[in-house]
Amino acid sequence: MRDKRMIGPGGDGEVQRRTQLGKKHKPFYVSLIVLLMFINIILFLDARIQIHDIQCTLTQVLNRLESYQSADVAVLSDEQGEVAEFVAAAGLGVAGNSGVVAGIEENDSPKTEDVKDVGMVDSHFGDDSSDGTTGTKTLWDGDISEETEVDYVSLCGLSEVAAPVRLNRTQALARLKELGEENEMIADIYDNHRFYPDNLLGALANNPEMTDFVAGYLNSEVKAKGGGLTEAEKEQDYPLFLQWDPRWGYEEYGDSSIVGLAGCGPVCLSMALYYLLDDESLTPDVLAEYSMKNGYYVSGTGTAWALLTDVPAKYGVEVTQPGVSEETIKKALDQGSVIICSMRPGDFTARGHFIVIYGYDKEGFMVNDPNCVARSKEQWLFSEIGKQIKHIWVLGEKKLDMEIRGEYYEK
């Protein structure tokens, strides 16, 4: 007689068969579980990204609301008109004329190195400022200036600024808190940091020269746009234009950024052309707008290097791009040219930056850094900056007759 256990529905045969089937399907079940876990991780990350985007949007909305709701800046004067000052409401402090430059290591800055002829510009290293700005402003020490030209470079400049470093948000805020212990304006910015873009806070953490510019970011009344060069600048052979000068620093430039953070390319070009042509119309804001409208800003990267050759050509300025050497740079300067340099991370930038070299003597090369007054006051040996220079553009004015020059300007 056959053993019923071998043929019955509940016998050992059935158990063995099910066990074998279970073993065959086990890899399938494991794969299914892993797949479901992977999908859950993807959904979680996507949700985190969406939440971050919503937070950024809310921050921008709060920023605008704060700007709209802030009390209007009032100009207070006594009967003799000897005292005037700006008073900002909402506990945001008084917008003065000094600033700090810093950078934050995150998605707000251009991320890549050179792409063909594209030059990298650090978002966190922009803020424009020249030797002065026109209008009534509250100064560093609270002094008054009524409708006079302010020497912005002298006002905001510090004797020394440390080399910029990459900072995440936590590090930048920690640095601002530290700086705020000795500077009330920075303390106000730190207390209200949720209203400021992260890249602006990062720039300030690296360069306290930007304090006044950052403080004015929330006050639309302070964001005076446009304005020509000051008389003090016109008297100088090589005036320094700063990215974070209020005359143009708040203008939009780049990926949701401003000239004050990402506009070192147009600002350096403005300086070089002014030195060569003495043309007061080619201010940083004008060239930044031209760059944006004509596709010279490459999203996610920075200002295209082509801007530094195409625009000068329109004004009869010859541009060459020789190799980097001390002899080459000195020879070009001896011939009356000026040089725009694309910089690697080092003394001038933590990501990428443009500076201008306009002269030299036995003490070293004379540099105008559109992001820092202190570094512009130093003279640099080639042994110090040579390895930091990625590429150079030598700009020298062509000898054109007046008729040809007029044709260039009409363009």
Side-chain angles (χ1 to χ4, degrees), residues 44-91:
F44 174 75
L45 293 176
D46 183 65
R48 288 288 301 272
I49 292 174
Q50 292 184 22
I51 291 173
H52 179 268
D53 291 341
I54 292 173
Q55 289 176 336
C56 291
T57 301
L58 289 175
T59 300
Q60 293 176 359
V61 172
L62 290 173
N63 185 9
R64 291 183 178 276
L65 287 175
E66 180 68 20
S67 176
Y68 295 148
Q69 294 174 358
S70 296
D72 291 337
V73 175
V75 178
L76 305 179
S77 60
D78 60 8
E79 294 180 358
Q80 290 74 30
E82 296 176 349
V83 180
E85 60 183 354
F86 281 103
V87 180

mmCIF file of all heavy atoms in Angstrom, residues 44-91:
data_model
loop_
_atom_site.group_PDB
_atom_site.id
_atom_site.type_symbol
_atom_site.label_atom_id
_atom_site.label_comp_id
_atom_site.label_asym_id
_atom_site.label_seq_id
_atom_site.Cartn_x
_atom_site.Cartn_y
_atom_site.Cartn_z
ATOM 1 N N PHE A 44 11.510 59.815 -1.053
ATOM 2 C CA PHE A 44 11.898 60.619 0.103
ATOM 3 C C PHE A 44 12.805 61.766 -0.308
ATOM 4 O O PHE A 44 12.623 62.909 0.117
ATOM 5 C CB PHE A 44 12.599 59.722 1.120
ATOM 6 C CG PHE A 44 13.160 60.476 2.285
ATOM 7 C CD1 PHE A 44 12.331 60.967 3.294
ATOM 8 C CD2 PHE A 44 14.534 60.715 2.381
ATOM 9 C CE1 PHE A 44 12.861 61.665 4.366
ATOM 10 C CE2 PHE A 44 15.060 61.415 3.445
ATOM 11 C CZ PHE A 44 14.215 61.898 4.448
ATOM 12 N N LEU A 45 13.814 61.455 -1.137
ATOM 13 C CA LEU A 45 14.728 62.499 -1.594
ATOM 14 C C LEU A 45 14.010 63.561 -2.409
ATOM 15 O O LEU A 45 14.284 64.756 -2.293
ATOM 16 C CB LEU A 45 15.864 61.880 -2.417
ATOM 17 C CG LEU A 45 16.842 60.986 -1.644
ATOM 18 C CD1 LEU A 45 17.846 60.368 -2.606
ATOM 19 C CD2 LEU A 45 17.572 61.787 -0.573
ATOM 20 N N ASP A 46 13.080 63.109 -3.267
ATOM 21 C CA ASP A 46 12.308 64.061 -4.069
ATOM 22 C C ASP A 46 11.490 64.972 -3.171
ATOM 23 O O ASP A 46 11.380 66.174 -3.416
ATOM 24 C CB ASP A 46 11.396 63.292 -5.031
ATOM 25 C CG ASP A 46 10.616 64.225 -5.943
ATOM 26 O OD1 ASP A 46 11.246 64.913 -6.769
ATOM 27 O OD2 ASP A 46 9.372 64.287 -5.821
ATOM 28 N N ALA A 47 10.933 64.394 -2.123
ATOM 29 C CA ALA A 47 10.150 65.204 -1.181
ATOM 30 C C ALA A 47 11.047 66.223 -0.483
ATOM 31 O O ALA A 47 10.658 67.374 -0.275
ATOM 32 C CB ALA A 47 9.467 64.298 -0.154
ATOM 33 N N ARG A 48 12.277 65.781 -0.116
ATOM 34 C CA ARG A 48 13.201 66.711 0.524
ATOM 35 C C ARG A 48 13.547 67.874 -0.398
ATOM 36 O O ARG A 48 13.619 69.025 0.037
ATOM 37 C CB ARG A 48 14.494 65.967 0.898
ATOM 38 C CG ARG A 48 14.364 65.007 2.066
ATOM 39 C CD ARG A 48 14.210 65.746 3.383
ATOM 40 N NE ARG A 48 15.350 66.620 3.627
ATOM 41 C CZ ARG A 48 16.462 66.228 4.239
ATOM 42 N NH1 ARG A 48 16.571 64.995 4.659
ATOM 43 N NH2 ARG A 48 17.448 67.081 4.444
ATOM 44 N N ILE A 49 13.757 67.573 -1.679
ATOM 45 C CA ILE A 49 14.080 68.622 -2.649
ATOM 46 C C ILE A 49 12.914 69.601 -2.784
ATOM 47 O O ILE A 49 13.089 70.820 -2.814
ATOM 48 C CB ILE A 49 14.425 68.000 -4.014
ATOM 49 C CG1 ILE A 49 15.748 67.222 -3.925
ATOM 50 C CG2 ILE A 49 14.545 69.087 -5.096
ATOM 51 C CD1 ILE A 49 16.091 66.452 -5.168
ATOM 52 N N GLN A 50 11.701 69.052 -2.862
ATOM 53 C CA GLN A 50 10.530 69.915 -2.982
ATOM 54 C C GLN A 50 10.369 70.795 -1.744
ATOM 55 O O GLN A 50 10.034 71.973 -1.844
ATOM 56 C CB GLN A 50 9.272 69.062 -3.197
ATOM 57 C CG GLN A 50 9.253 68.344 -4.550
ATOM 58 C CD GLN A 50 7.961 67.592 -4.770
ATOM 59 O OE1 GLN A 50 6.947 67.905 -4.153
ATOM 60 N NE2 GLN A 50 7.999 66.604 -5.638
ATOM 61 N N ILE A 51 10.626 70.194 -0.569
ATOM 62 C CA ILE A 51 10.515 70.982 0.660
ATOM 63 C C ILE A 51 11.551 72.100 0.670
ATOM 64 O O ILE A 51 11.277 73.232 1.063
ATOM 65 C CB ILE A 51 10.704 70.061 1.890
ATOM 66 C CG1 ILE A 51 9.504 69.107 2.009
ATOM 67 C CG2 ILE A 51 10.856 70.886 3.166
ATOM 68 C CD1 ILE A 51 9.677 68.052 3.073
ATOM 69 N N HIS A 52 12.784 71.775 0.215
ATOM 70 C CA HIS A 52 13.836 72.803 0.151
ATOM 71 C C HIS A 52 13.436 73.929 -0.787
ATOM 72 O O HIS A 52 13.628 75.105 -0.489
ATOM 73 C CB HIS A 52 15.147 72.166 -0.317
ATOM 74 C CG HIS A 52 16.273 73.141 -0.423
ATOM 75 N ND1 HIS A 52 16.572 73.804 -1.593
ATOM 76 C CD2 HIS A 52 17.171 73.590 0.504
ATOM 77 C CE1 HIS A 52 17.584 74.600 -1.398
ATOM 78 N NE2 HIS A 52 17.986 74.498 -0.139
ATOM 79 N N ASP A 53 12.866 73.567 -1.961
ATOM 80 C CA ASP A 53 12.431 74.596 -2.913
ATOM 81 C C ASP A 53 11.351 75.475 -2.297
ATOM 82 O O ASP A 53 11.329 76.699 -2.479
ATOM 83 C CB ASP A 53 11.902 73.937 -4.195
ATOM 84 C CG ASP A 53 13.018 73.280 -4.992
ATOM 85 O OD1 ASP A 53 14.187 73.629 -4.755
ATOM 86 O OD2 ASP A 53 12.710 72.421 -5.838
ATOM 87 N N ILE A 54 10.432 74.843 -1.565
ATOM 88 C CA ILE A 54 9.356 75.609 -0.927
ATOM 89 C C ILE A 54 9.936 76.548 0.115
ATOM 90 O O ILE A 54 9.535 77.706 0.231
ATOM 91 C CB ILE A 54 8.331 74.648 -0.286
ATOM 92 C CG1 ILE A 54 7.583 73.870 -1.381
ATOM 93 C CG2 ILE A 54 7.341 75.424 0.584
ATOM 94 C CD1 ILE A 54 6.670 72.788 -0.849
ATOM 95 N N GLN A 55 10.930 76.038 0.875
ATOM 96 C CA GLN A 55 11.568 76.892 1.881
ATOM 97 C C GLN A 55 12.257 78.085 1.241
ATOM 98 O O GLN A 55 12.184 79.201 1.757
ATOM 99 C CB GLN A 55 12.572 76.067 2.685
ATOM 100 C CG GLN A 55 11.921 75.050 3.618
ATOM 101 C CD GLN A 55 12.943 74.182 4.327
ATOM 102 O OE1 GLN A 55 14.062 74.021 3.831
ATOM 103 N NE2 GLN A 55 12.572 73.637 5.466
ATOM 104 N N CYS A 56 12.938 77.845 0.121
ATOM 105 C CA CYS A 56 13.604 78.949 -0.583
ATOM 106 C C CYS A 56 12.594 79.981 -1.057
ATOM 107 O O CYS A 56 12.809 81.181 -0.955
ATOM 108 C CB CYS A 56 14.410 78.409 -1.771
ATOM 109 S SG CYS A 56 15.855 77.442 -1.289
ATOM 110 N N THR A 57 11.480 79.486 -1.605
ATOM 111 C CA THR A 57 10.435 80.390 -2.083
ATOM 112 C C THR A 57 9.854 81.206 -0.943
ATOM 113 O O THR A 57 9.651 82.416 -1.055
ATOM 114 C CB THR A 57 9.317 79.584 -2.766
ATOM 115 O OG1 THR A 57 9.874 78.841 -3.859
ATOM 116 C CG2 THR A 57 8.238 80.528 -3.302
ATOM 117 N N LEU A 58 9.599 80.542 0.191
ATOM 118 C CA LEU A 58 9.064 81.241 1.351
ATOM 119 C C LEU A 58 10.042 82.295 1.863
ATOM 120 O O LEU A 58 9.643 83.381 2.269
ATOM 121 C CB LEU A 58 8.745 80.240 2.464
ATOM 122 C CG LEU A 58 7.528 79.327 2.222
ATOM 123 C CD1 LEU A 58 7.412 78.305 3.348
ATOM 124 C CD2 LEU A 58 6.257 80.154 2.126
ATOM 125 N N THR A 59 11.328 81.949 1.826
ATOM 126 C CA THR A 59 12.341 82.913 2.258
ATOM 127 C C THR A 59 12.332 84.156 1.384
ATOM 128 O O THR A 59 12.416 85.287 1.869
ATOM 129 C CB THR A 59 13.747 82.273 2.208
ATOM 130 O OG1 THR A 59 13.766 81.148 3.088
ATOM 131 C CG2 THR A 59 14.815 83.276 2.644
ATOM 132 N N GLN A 60 12.215 83.932 0.055
ATOM 133 C CA GLN A 60 12.165 85.070 -0.859
ATOM 134 C C GLN A 60 10.920 85.920 -0.605
ATOM 135 O O GLN A 60 10.962 87.152 -0.627
ATOM 136 C CB GLN A 60 12.184 84.575 -2.302
ATOM 137 C CG GLN A 60 13.496 83.922 -2.693
ATOM 138 C CD GLN A 60 13.464 83.357 -4.093
ATOM 139 O OE1 GLN A 60 12.448 83.430 -4.772
ATOM 140 N NE2 GLN A 60 14.579 82.785 -4.518
ATOM 141 N N VAL A 61 9.788 85.244 -0.351
ATOM 142 C CA VAL A 61 8.537 85.970 -0.083
ATOM 143 C C VAL A 61 8.668 86.782 1.192
ATOM 144 O O VAL A 61 8.286 87.959 1.259
ATOM 145 C CB VAL A 61 7.361 84.981 0.012
ATOM 146 C CG1 VAL A 61 6.098 85.705 0.487
ATOM 147 C CG2 VAL A 61 7.106 84.329 -1.337
ATOM 148 N N LEU A 62 9.218 86.150 2.257
ATOM 149 C CA LEU A 62 9.414 86.865 3.513
ATOM 150 C C LEU A 62 10.359 88.039 3.334
ATOM 151 O O LEU A 62 10.177 89.094 3.936
ATOM 152 C CB LEU A 62 9.954 85.900 4.571
ATOM 153 C CG LEU A 62 8.971 84.835 5.088
ATOM 154 C CD1 LEU A 62 9.693 83.864 5.999
ATOM 155 C CD2 LEU A 62 7.813 85.499 5.824
ATOM 156 N N ASN A 63 11.365 87.813 2.490
ATOM 157 C CA ASN A 63 12.325 88.883 2.208
ATOM 158 C C ASN A 63 11.620 90.086 1.596
ATOM 159 O O ASN A 63 11.819 91.229 2.006
ATOM 160 C CB ASN A 63 13.409 88.345 1.271
ATOM 161 C CG ASN A 63 14.498 89.369 1.023
ATOM 162 O OD1 ASN A 63 14.538 90.416 1.665
ATOM 163 N ND2 ASN A 63 15.384 89.057 0.101
ATOM 164 N N ARG A 64 10.797 89.814 0.598
ATOM 165 C CA ARG A 64 10.072 90.912 -0.063
ATOM 166 C C ARG A 64 9.082 91.572 0.900
ATOM 167 O O ARG A 64 8.927 92.785 0.920
ATOM 168 C CB ARG A 64 9.349 90.386 -1.296
ATOM 169 C CG ARG A 64 10.308 89.988 -2.417
ATOM 170 C CD ARG A 64 9.556 89.536 -3.651
ATOM 171 N NE ARG A 64 10.471 89.206 -4.721
ATOM 172 C CZ ARG A 64 10.993 90.082 -5.560
ATOM 173 N NH1 ARG A 64 10.680 91.356 -5.430
ATOM 174 N NH2 ARG A 64 11.824 89.706 -6.516
ATOM 175 N N LEU A 65 8.369 90.761 1.701
ATOM 176 C CA LEU A 65 7.416 91.322 2.652
ATOM 177 C C LEU A 65 8.113 92.220 3.654
ATOM 178 O O LEU A 65 7.627 93.281 4.017
ATOM 179 C CB LEU A 65 6.685 90.185 3.373
ATOM 180 C CG LEU A 65 5.637 89.413 2.544
ATOM 181 C CD1 LEU A 65 5.087 88.253 3.365
ATOM 182 C CD2 LEU A 65 4.513 90.339 2.096
ATOM 183 N N GLU A 66 9.293 91.745 4.100
ATOM 184 C CA GLU A 66 10.049 92.545 5.052
ATOM 185 C C GLU A 66 10.445 93.875 4.437
ATOM 186 O O GLU A 66 10.412 94.911 5.088
ATOM 187 C CB GLU A 66 11.294 91.780 5.499
ATOM 188 C CG GLU A 66 12.154 92.533 6.507
ATOM 189 C CD GLU A 66 11.454 92.680 7.834
ATOM 190 O OE1 GLU A 66 10.516 91.909 8.109
ATOM 191 O OE2 GLU A 66 11.840 93.579 8.603
ATOM 192 N N SER A 67 10.840 93.817 3.151
ATOM 193 C CA SER A 67 11.232 95.044 2.466
ATOM 194 C C SER A 67 10.058 95.994 2.336
ATOM 195 O O SER A 67 10.170 97.199 2.543
ATOM 196 C CB SER A 67 11.805 94.701 1.085
ATOM 197 O OG SER A 67 12.107 95.874 0.391
ATOM 198 N N TYR A 68 8.879 95.436 1.980
ATOM 199 C CA TYR A 68 7.694 96.272 1.799
ATOM 200 C C TYR A 68 7.200 96.844 3.125
ATOM 201 O O TYR A 68 6.704 97.965 3.192
ATOM 202 C CB TYR A 68 6.578 95.472 1.148
ATOM 203 C CG TYR A 68 6.882 95.032 -0.262
ATOM 204 C CD1 TYR A 68 6.370 93.838 -0.773
ATOM 205 C CD2 TYR A 68 7.708 95.802 -1.086
ATOM 206 C CE1 TYR A 68 6.664 93.424 -2.064
ATOM 207 C CE2 TYR A 68 7.996 95.397 -2.376
ATOM 208 C CZ TYR A 68 7.461 94.206 -2.853
ATOM 209 O OH TYR A 68 7.743 93.793 -4.122
ATOM 210 N N GLN A 69 7.311 96.033 4.188
ATOM 211 C CA GLN A 69 6.735 96.449 5.456
ATOM 212 C C GLN A 69 7.669 97.332 6.262
ATOM 213 O O GLN A 69 7.261 97.942 7.239
ATOM 214 C CB GLN A 69 6.380 95.210 6.282
ATOM 215 C CG GLN A 69 5.254 94.392 5.653
ATOM 216 C CD GLN A 69 4.996 93.096 6.403
ATOM 217 O OE1 GLN A 69 5.693 92.801 7.368
ATOM 218 N NE2 GLN A 69 4.018 92.341 5.972
ATOM 219 N N SER A 70 8.948 97.350 5.875
ATOM 220 C CA SER A 70 9.901 98.181 6.624
ATOM 221 C C SER A 70 9.500 99.638 6.515
ATOM 222 O O SER A 70 8.977 100.094 5.495
ATOM 223 C CB SER A 70 11.315 97.992 6.073
ATOM 224 O OG SER A 70 11.745 96.672 6.274
ATOM 225 N N ALA A 71 9.729 100.345 7.542
ATOM 226 C CA ALA A 71 9.407 101.772 7.498
ATOM 227 C C ALA A 71 10.288 102.456 6.472
ATOM 228 O O ALA A 71 11.446 102.090 6.291
ATOM 229 C CB ALA A 71 9.643 102.392 8.867
ATOM 230 N N ASP A 72 9.741 103.458 5.803
ATOM 231 C CA ASP A 72 10.520 104.178 4.801
ATOM 232 C C ASP A 72 11.691 104.870 5.479
ATOM 233 O O ASP A 72 11.607 105.342 6.619
ATOM 234 C CB ASP A 72 9.658 105.236 4.097
ATOM 235 C CG ASP A 72 8.602 104.594 3.226
ATOM 236 O OD1 ASP A 72 8.816 103.427 2.833
ATOM 237 O OD2 ASP A 72 7.583 105.244 2.960
ATOM 238 N N VAL A 73 12.805 104.920 4.754
ATOM 239 C CA VAL A 73 13.977 105.610 5.289
ATOM 240 C C VAL A 73 13.701 107.104 5.277
ATOM 241 O O VAL A 73 13.315 107.661 4.264
ATOM 242 C CB VAL A 73 15.218 105.306 4.434
ATOM 243 C CG1 VAL A 73 16.382 106.136 4.930
ATOM 244 C CG2 VAL A 73 15.530 103.833 4.510
ATOM 245 N N ALA A 74 13.913 107.696 6.404
ATOM 246 C CA ALA A 74 13.627 109.126 6.521
ATOM 247 C C ALA A 74 14.918 109.899 6.662
ATOM 248 O O ALA A 74 15.847 109.458 7.336
ATOM 249 C CB ALA A 74 12.737 109.391 7.735
ATOM 250 N N VAL A 75 14.966 111.026 6.048
ATOM 251 C CA VAL A 75 16.126 111.912 6.174
ATOM 252 C C VAL A 75 15.782 112.967 7.201
ATOM 253 O O VAL A 75 14.862 113.759 7.013
ATOM 254 C CB VAL A 75 16.471 112.587 4.832
ATOM 255 C CG1 VAL A 75 17.642 113.524 5.018
ATOM 256 C CG2 VAL A 75 16.767 111.538 3.795
ATOM 257 N N LEU A 76 16.483 112.910 8.316
ATOM 258 C CA LEU A 76 16.207 113.823 9.411
ATOM 259 C C LEU A 76 17.280 114.903 9.432
ATOM 260 O O LEU A 76 18.460 114.602 9.383
ATOM 261 C CB LEU A 76 16.223 113.049 10.737
ATOM 262 C CG LEU A 76 15.276 111.834 10.815
ATOM 263 C CD1 LEU A 76 15.423 111.170 12.177
ATOM 264 C CD2 LEU A 76 13.858 112.246 10.564
ATOM 265 N N SER A 77 16.884 116.143 9.536
ATOM 266 C CA SER A 77 17.868 117.225 9.579
ATOM 267 C C SER A 77 17.414 118.289 10.564
ATOM 268 O O SER A 77 16.217 118.468 10.796
ATOM 269 C CB SER A 77 18.042 117.844 8.198
ATOM 270 O OG SER A 77 16.818 118.379 7.747
ATOM 271 N N ASP A 78 18.356 118.995 11.162
ATOM 272 C CA ASP A 78 18.002 120.090 12.044
ATOM 273 C C ASP A 78 17.777 121.337 11.201
ATOM 274 O O ASP A 78 17.850 121.318 9.979
ATOM 275 C CB ASP A 78 19.083 120.324 13.102
ATOM 276 C CG ASP A 78 20.416 120.675 12.482
ATOM 277 O OD1 ASP A 78 20.441 120.889 11.248
ATOM 278 O OD2 ASP A 78 21.412 120.743 13.219
ATOM 279 N N GLU A 79 17.482 122.440 11.854
ATOM 280 C CA GLU A 79 17.122 123.658 11.120
ATOM 281 C C GLU A 79 18.275 124.144 10.259
ATOM 282 O O GLU A 79 18.067 124.766 9.231
ATOM 283 C CB GLU A 79 16.711 124.749 12.109
ATOM 284 C CG GLU A 79 15.439 124.405 12.857
ATOM 285 C CD GLU A 79 15.045 125.491 13.830
ATOM 286 O OE1 GLU A 79 15.794 126.491 13.952
ATOM 287 O OE2 GLU A 79 13.994 125.354 14.453
ATOM 288 N N GLN A 80 19.492 123.892 10.669
ATOM 289 C CA GLN A 80 20.634 124.345 9.879
ATOM 290 C C GLN A 80 21.019 123.334 8.809
ATOM 291 O O GLN A 80 21.891 123.594 7.990
ATOM 292 C CB GLN A 80 21.836 124.577 10.794
ATOM 293 C CG GLN A 80 21.694 125.782 11.702
ATOM 294 C CD GLN A 80 20.727 125.523 12.847
ATOM 295 O OE1 GLN A 80 20.586 124.393 13.292
ATOM 296 N NE2 GLN A 80 20.059 126.563 13.311
ATOM 297 N N GLY A 81 20.359 122.177 8.778
ATOM 298 C CA GLY A 81 20.680 121.158 7.793
ATOM 299 C C GLY A 81 22.036 120.532 8.030
ATOM 300 O O GLY A 81 22.657 120.027 7.114
ATOM 301 N N GLU A 82 22.510 120.580 9.305
ATOM 302 C CA GLU A 82 23.845 120.075 9.582
ATOM 303 C C GLU A 82 23.847 118.584 9.911
ATOM 304 O O GLU A 82 24.887 117.945 9.866
ATOM 305 C CB GLU A 82 24.458 120.847 10.755
ATOM 306 C CG GLU A 82 24.666 122.318 10.453
ATOM 307 C CD GLU A 82 25.170 123.065 11.662
ATOM 308 O OE1 GLU A 82 25.150 122.479 12.764
ATOM 309 O OE2 GLU A 82 25.574 124.221 11.507
ATOM 310 N N VAL A 83 22.654 118.055 10.288
ATOM 311 C CA VAL A 83 22.591 116.655 10.680
ATOM 312 C C VAL A 83 21.582 115.927 9.811
ATOM 313 O O VAL A 83 20.457 116.371 9.673
ATOM 314 C CB VAL A 83 22.173 116.519 12.165
ATOM 315 C CG1 VAL A 83 22.110 115.046 12.554
ATOM 316 C CG2 VAL A 83 23.142 117.271 13.041
ATOM 317 N N ALA A 84 21.991 114.813 9.243
ATOM 318 C CA ALA A 84 21.069 113.991 8.453
ATOM 319 C C ALA A 84 21.455 112.541 8.623
ATOM 320 O O ALA A 84 22.614 112.205 8.689
ATOM 321 C CB ALA A 84 21.151 114.382 6.972
ATOM 322 N N GLU A 85 20.486 111.679 8.710
ATOM 323 C CA GLU A 85 20.794 110.256 8.850
ATOM 324 C C GLU A 85 19.632 109.405 8.402
ATOM 325 O O GLU A 85 18.486 109.837 8.421
ATOM 326 C CB GLU A 85 21.157 109.917 10.293
ATOM 327 C CG GLU A 85 20.035 110.230 11.276
ATOM 328 C CD GLU A 85 20.464 109.956 12.708
ATOM 329 O OE1 GLU A 85 21.563 109.429 12.883
ATOM 330 O OE2 GLU A 85 19.685 110.273 13.599
ATOM 331 N N PHE A 86 19.995 108.212 7.998
ATOM 332 C CA PHE A 86 18.991 107.248 7.604
ATOM 333 C C PHE A 86 18.650 106.377 8.807
ATOM 334 O O PHE A 86 19.548 105.893 9.491
ATOM 335 C CB PHE A 86 19.527 106.333 6.495
ATOM 336 C CG PHE A 86 19.499 106.958 5.148
ATOM 337 C CD1 PHE A 86 20.665 107.438 4.588
ATOM 338 C CD2 PHE A 86 18.321 107.077 4.449
ATOM 339 C CE1 PHE A 86 20.649 108.015 3.342
ATOM 340 C CE2 PHE A 86 18.304 107.649 3.210
ATOM 341 C CZ PHE A 86 19.477 108.128 2.656
ATOM 342 N N VAL A 87 17.358 106.168 9.033
ATOM 343 C CA VAL A 87 16.945 105.284 10.109
ATOM 344 C C VAL A 87 16.104 104.173 9.511
ATOM 345 O O VAL A 87 15.055 104.428 8.934
ATOM 346 C CB VAL A 87 16.122 106.044 11.171
ATOM 347 C CG1 VAL A 87 15.704 105.084 12.282
ATOM 348 C CG2 VAL A 87 16.944 107.186 11.748
ATOM 349 N N ALA A 88 16.548 102.929 9.608
ATOM 350 C CA ALA A 88 15.794 101.794 9.073
ATOM 351 C C ALA A 88 14.994 101.149 10.184
ATOM 352 O O ALA A 88 15.485 100.956 11.284
ATOM 353 C CB ALA A 88 16.748 100.769 8.458
ATOM 354 N N ALA A 89 13.752 100.815 9.901
ATOM 355 C CA ALA A 89 12.879 100.230 10.897
ATOM 356 C C ALA A 89 13.017 98.715 10.939
ATOM 357 O O ALA A 89 13.852 98.134 10.278
ATOM 358 C CB ALA A 89 11.424 100.609 10.596
ATOM 359 N N ALA A 90 12.161 98.080 11.692
ATOM 360 C CA ALA A 90 12.077 96.622 11.803
ATOM 361 C C ALA A 90 13.304 96.008 12.442
ATOM 362 O O ALA A 90 13.558 94.815 12.303
ATOM 363 C CB ALA A 90 11.835 95.988 10.443
ATOM 364 N N GLY A 91 14.084 96.813 13.148
ATOM 365 C CA GLY A 91 15.237 96.288 13.854
ATOM 366 C C GLY A 91 16.319 95.744 12.959
ATOM 367 O O GLY A 91 17.114 94.904 13.369
#
